[in-house]
């Protein structure tokens, strides 16, 4: 017998059911790469602004005190990871979070970090 949680004891014969709860190695690797990608402070700062509303590159650059080139580079990477999307309006390109999943992920982490122990 293996003790998993204090109140649950599993027979080795019943362990076959557990892999259905375990994510695949491939998905775990993709998730690790995703979270590693978010380990950049500038990318998180961009996401923090886009969590509230959409912005064009020049406005993001001004708010972040970064060059437009640097912001564009971050946005290109964020687009590649499907974290942001954009729309064109005339000569301007406006960026926003890709979907509500990204907003909720950002919000959940921010709230977790603001919690007091």
């Amino acid at each position: 017998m293996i003790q998993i949680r204090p109140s649950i004891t599993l027979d080795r014969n019943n362990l076959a059911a557990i892999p259905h709860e375990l994510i695949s190695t491939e998905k775990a690797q993709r998730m690790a790469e995703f979270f590693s990608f978010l380990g950049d402070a500038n990318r998180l700062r961009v996401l923090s602004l886009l969590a509230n509303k959409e912005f064009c590159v020049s406005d993001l650059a001004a708010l972040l005190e970064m060059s437009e080139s640097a912001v564009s580079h971050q946005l290109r990477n964020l687009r590649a990871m499907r974290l942001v999307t954009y729309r064109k309006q005339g000569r301007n390109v406006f960026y926003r979070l890709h979907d509500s999943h990204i907003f909720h992920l950002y919000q959940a982490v921010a709230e977790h970090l603001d919690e007091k122990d």
Side-chain angles (χ1 to χ4, degrees), residues 28-47:
Q29 181 62 40
R30 288 177 42 221
M31 289 176 74
E33 290 168 2
F34 179 87
F35 284 113
S36 176
F37 178 79
L38 288 177
D40 180 279
N42 286 324
R43 290 182 191 133
L44 292 172
R45 293 177 71 221
V46 169
L47 292 178

Side-chain angles (χ1 to χ4, degrees), residues 23-73:
I23 63 173
S24 70
T25 302
E26 178 186 331
K27 187 169 185 177
Q29 181 62 40
R30 288 177 42 221
M31 289 176 74
E33 290 168 2
F34 179 87
F35 284 113
S36 176
F37 178 79
L38 288 177
D40 180 279
N42 286 324
R43 290 182 191 133
L44 292 172
R45 293 177 71 221
V46 169
L47 292 178
S48 74
L49 290 172
L50 297 179
N52 296 305
K53 65 180 258 185
E54 66 179 17
F55 286 98
C56 65
V57 174
S58 59
D59 289 344
L60 285 169
L63 290 165
L64 296 166
E65 298 180 347
M66 295 171 60
S67 70
E68 287 187 25
S69 175
V71 170
S72 291
H73 175 75

Side-chain angles (χ1 to χ4, degrees), residues 1 3 13 16 18 27 32 47 56 74 76 92 98 116:
M1 295 267 194
Q3 186 84 16
N13 296 328
I18 291 178
K27 187 169 185 177
L47 292 178
C56 65
Q74 294 299 346
R76 189 170 33 259
N92 289 320
H98 188 272
K116 304 288 186 218

